[in-house]
Amino acid sequence: MISLNILDYSPVDEGETAAEALEQTTRLAQMAERLGFKRFWVAEHHQVASVAGSTPEMLMMHLATSTENIRIGSGGVMLPHYSAYKVAENFRMLEALHPGRIDLGIGRSRSYRIVNEALNESKTKRLPYEQQLMDLQKYFADDTESEHRFRSLRAMPIINTAPELWLLGTGQGSAKLAAERGTGYAYAHFAKPSQQGVEAVEAYREEFQPSLFLEEPEVIIAVFAVVAETAEKAEELATAFDLWLLFVESDSPPPYYPSTETAKKRGFSAGEKEKVERNRKRMLIGTAEQVKVQIEAIAEQYATNEITIIPNISGADNRMTELRLLAEVFNLSGK
């Protein structure tokens, strides 16, 4: 039995605003809950005008308040930019108000140089990522006994539960760190769909050390999925997705997610077609039945029963249709 999650970027569709995109994310989270998805995560992107999700903690608070049971999480908080103590308090507050429903997914991805400088200009020193992860666990565990530079410091508020901690990654380094610290591991198949990913997940399981937060290794695999009622419609949506991926990797990306009409009208140059062909290896495309087969193959490949879908396609109605179709074909038990 495969559990499905959603990771939403809050795309700003062509002709719409960021405020509308965030409202659409709220409706998507509510729909995911009704349909029986397990988790709904939101991302952290900076200096990408076509994506409204920049502060996951704040959006999570709104989404958790707007839903009742679905787990709400970050996919993820880019920890090197922040104080582990502040992240711990943010997520403790979320957990205090919505106990048993909060996931903290963390990563170390760097953004544009100007973003990195702006987020870190007040720091006098940068801690190793590994140390920041240890700090987070110290604060969530209320550990004032172990040796630590802030031994007596506790993260407020004091509560009896803790967020689930997930390390996001694309390779051996993150897998080994997640194993060493006893956290869940979320592998970004959508970024690196290769045998190296399978090997990283295997290494995580083999080297996993139980922690206060997790006794057995847990793995989530995240995928880009383009699903529609027909294969032809899915291909149209995938073409717009192709164009968006090219846009966000260019020097001057536009402030919106392109429509299928814009993508069809614009077309691709020969050089762009090569990039599109490579990017297509990162996507699952087709009807719900076709994508279900692909998801099951990936779940078997990584030996997991939990898959995160990134429905980053043009149009809020199309994103909602994708969730509905997947819920039906996987027989999710919603309300």
Side-chain angles (χ1 to χ4, degrees):
M1 188 70 180
I2 295 177
S3 296
L4 294 183
N5 311 320
I6 297 297
L7 169 56
D8 187 51
Y9 290 176
S10 302
V12 181
D13 288 311
E14 186 174 345
E16 299 190 356
T17 67
E20 289 172 317
L22 295 171
E23 175 57 31
Q24 291 161 3
T25 288
T26 304
R27 289 191 280 118
L28 199 68
Q30 292 168 333
M31 183 179 192
E33 179 173 67
R34 290 195 301 272
L35 292 173
F37 286 81
K38 183 177 181 180
R39 309 175 196 268
F40 192 95
W41 287 10
V42 291
E44 177 184 337
H45 289 98
H46 304 283
Q47 196 69 359
V48 182
S50 60
V51 170
S54 58
T55 54
E57 304 96 323
M58 295 188 70
L59 184 52
M60 283 174 61
M61 183 65 81
H62 173 68
L63 295 178
T65 303
S66 301
T67 54
E68 296 178 1
N69 301 304
I70 192 169
R71 295 194 67 90
I72 301 295
S74 60
V77 168
M78 297 300 109
L79 191 56
H81 293 313
Y82 311 113
S83 154
Y85 183 61
K86 184 59 176 175
V87 172
E89 293 206 318
N90 283 342
F91 277 78
R92 271 210 158 172
M93 182 62 74
L94 282 162
E95 179 71 18
L97 292 170
H98 303 281
R101 295 183 56 205
I102 302 301
D103 297 332
L104 170 54
I106 61 170
R108 71 170 113 199
S109 176
R110 290 290 182 178
S111 186
Y112 298 103
R113 182 179 61 82
I114 190 172
V115 171
N116 295 333
E117 291 178 356
L119 288 172
N120 293 279
E121 66 175 351
S122 64
K123 291 185 178 181
T124 57
K125 62 178 179 179
R126 292 187 180 181
L127 293 173
Y129 184 53
E130 295 78 3
Q131 181 63 56
Q132 288 188 295
L133 177 55
M134 292 173 62
D135 291 348
L136 268 181
Q137 291 182 307
K138 172 255 193 301
Y139 297 132
F140 285 144
D142 286 321
D143 182 3
T144 57
E145 301 298 325
S146 302
E147 286 298 323
H148 190 275
R149 65 192 185 285
F150 302 124
R151 181 172 177 172
S152 63
L153 185 63
R154 303 179 73 182
M156 303 295 151
I158 303 299
I159 55 177
N160 295 324
T161 59
E164 283 192 11
L165 189 55
W166 292 85
L167 201 65
L168 316 183
T170 57
Q172 291 283 346
S174 55
K176 290 179 179 295
L177 181 57
E180 177 185 331
R181 300 306 306 172
T183 74
Y185 185 53
Y187 180 77
H189 178 87
F190 66 90
K192 290 190 177 179
S194 67
Q195 180 61 29
Q196 292 178 347
V198 176
E199 293 169 358
V201 169
E202 289 175 350
Y204 162 72
R205 288 197 175 98
E206 290 171 0
E207 300 177 26
F208 181 83
Q209 299 295 316
S211 69
L212 180 65
F213 306 99
L214 192 62
E215 294 183 358
E216 300 288 340
E218 292 188 9
V219 172
I220 294 175
I221 303 300
V223 299
F224 282 139
V226 181
V227 179
E229 292 178 333
T230 67
E232 293 75 18
K233 176 66 172 179
E235 179 59 30
E236 287 183 9
L237 293 170
T239 301
F241 192 8
D242 294 332
L243 185 55
W244 180 80
L245 281 175
L246 290 177
F247 278 165
V248 297
E249 294 172 357
S250 72
D251 294 329
S252 55
Y256 57 79
Y257 191 111
S259 65
T260 55
E261 292 78 11
T262 293
K264 183 177 181 181
K265 185 183 300 183
R266 180 187 180 279
F268 302 101
S269 69
E272 288 174 338
K273 287 179 180 178
E274 292 181 4
K275 293 180 180 179
V276 166
E277 185 176 353
R278 291 196 298 271
N279 282 335
R280 281 295 179 102
K281 297 176 182 178
R282 301 162 57 187
M283 309 177 196
L284 312 183
I285 305 169
T287 64
E289 291 78 10
Q290 291 169 335
V291 171
K292 180 175 185 284
V293 172
Q294 298 173 68
I295 288 174
E296 290 174 337
I298 288 173
E300 182 176 358
Q301 182 182 18
Y302 287 95
T304 186
N305 62 354
E306 193 165 349
I307 301 291
T308 290
I309 304 297
I310 307 174
N312 200 40
I313 59 176
S314 176
D317 289 343
N318 293 324
R319 294 189 285 276
M320 290 187 174
T321 295
E322 173 166 334
L323 266 62
R324 176 178 59 79
L325 294 173
L326 287 173
E328 289 174 357
V329 77
F330 276 95
N331 295 314
L332 300 186
S333 55
K335 294 182 179 179

